[in-house]
Amino acid sequence: QVQLVESGGEMVQPGGSLRLSCAASGSIARFNVMGWYRQAPGKQRELVALITRVGATNYADSVKGRFTISRDNAKNTLYLQMNSLKFEDTAVYYCNGDQGGPSLPKFWGQGTQVTVSS
């Protein structure tokens, strides 16, 4: 019964940086995997990055070398550091928590808008 709330999205210029946060109302240790997803206008929601409970990560090819996902279990917060932003990074970014069982619910935040524009 955890609520996830994203923040940090705003308008930035190409090449700029932004850090997104996902604050949980309870412990995020229960989530075996957490992730950031994004959905651009007219496109399907896509995976951006994943991180396991112990810190193993995986990234979409489009963001490798530019984005860094991290989690602070003590602060119950998931982060996405976004550097060298491009126009195509414009999207609503969503936080996800997966408890790791098919019969267990997954949790989503409401999203935060990131707009990369000159």
Side-chain angles (χ1 to χ4, degrees), residues 1-90:
Q1 305 298 324
V2 176
Q3 288 76 52
L4 304 175
V5 180
E6 302 94 337
S7 63
E10 61 183 57
M11 181 178 291
V12 297
Q13 295 193 346
S17 296
L18 207 58
R19 189 178 77 159
L20 306 183
S21 297
C22 171
S25 62
S27 175
I28 64 169
R30 71 189 68 191
F31 297 125
N32 287 344
V33 179
M34 298 192 75
W36 286 98
Y37 294 73
R38 67 186 182 187
Q39 187 167 22
K43 297 183 179 180
Q44 297 291 315
R45 185 175 298 188
E46 65 175 349
L47 173 67
V48 175
L50 295 173
I51 185 168
T52 71
R53 185 175 56 82
V54 296
T57 59
N58 199 5
Y59 297 90
D61 288 340
S62 60
V63 306
K64 286 181 179 177
R66 300 189 299 119
F67 291 9
T68 302
I69 188 172
S70 62
R71 62 192 287 174
D72 188 332
N73 293 331
K75 295 185 180 296
N76 295 319
T77 303
L78 177 73
Y79 302 98
L80 184 68
Q81 178 65 48
M82 310 165 67
N83 298 325
S84 302
L85 285 162
K86 305 175 180 179
F87 292 127
E88 54 263 42
D89 294 319
T90 295

